[in-house]
């Protein structure tokens, strides 16, 4: 008797997992549609700004699997920043 290890045949094709990478300033990625390669400058309004080696800036949307990192597709996500330390609180009387 043969032993076959089958997965669920009705589940459909498996989707491969695309890693999510925090878009930290200085991270070099490539837009596969245009071939533009540059370092992350900032993220604003759901877009990422990339700067190429000549200093040109271009804006790209943060689409799933929208960029290549070392030749492999990745999803850029906004980098989580550490919460800022609370500033000194000054009361109405001026005391700290």
């Amino acid at each position: 008797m043969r032993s076959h290890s089958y997965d669920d045949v009705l589940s459909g094709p498996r989707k491969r997992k695309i890693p999510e990478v925090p878009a930290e300033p200085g991270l070099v990625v490539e837009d596969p549609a245009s071939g533009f390669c540059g370092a992350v400058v900032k993220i604003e309004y759901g877009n990422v700004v990339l700067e190429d080696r000549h200093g040109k800036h271009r804006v790209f949307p943060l689409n799933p699997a929208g960029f290549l990192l070392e030749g492999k597709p990745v999803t850029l996500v906004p980098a989580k920043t550490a919460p800022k330390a609370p500033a000194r609180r000054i009361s109405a009387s001026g005391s700290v």
Side-chain angles (χ1 to χ4, degrees):
M1 183 172 222
R2 287 191 225 170
S3 172
H4 293 286
S5 175
Y6 293 109
D7 291 331
D8 185 7
V9 294
L10 299 177
S11 67
R14 291 186 180 190
K15 294 182 181 181
R16 78 179 182 194
K17 301 226 178 198
I18 304 295
E20 292 185 348
V21 177
E24 297 176 352
L27 178 71
V28 178
V29 293
E30 178 182 354
D31 176 49
S34 66
F36 186 86
C37 185
V40 173
V41 176
K42 62 182 173 179
I43 292 183
E44 58 183 10
Y45 309 112
N47 297 315
V48 62
V49 179
L50 299 181
E51 178 182 16
D52 70 357
R53 61 187 174 147
H54 303 292
K56 249 187 209 177
H57 288 220
R58 287 187 58 186
V59 179
F60 297 95
L62 287 174
N63 294 332
F67 296 93
L68 298 176
L69 177 64
E70 297 178 357
K72 297 181 181 175
V74 295
T75 300
L76 290 181
V77 295
K80 295 181 181 177
T81 58
K84 294 182 180 179
R88 290 186 182 183
R89 295 186 181 240
I90 300 175
S91 67
S93 67
S95 58
V96 179

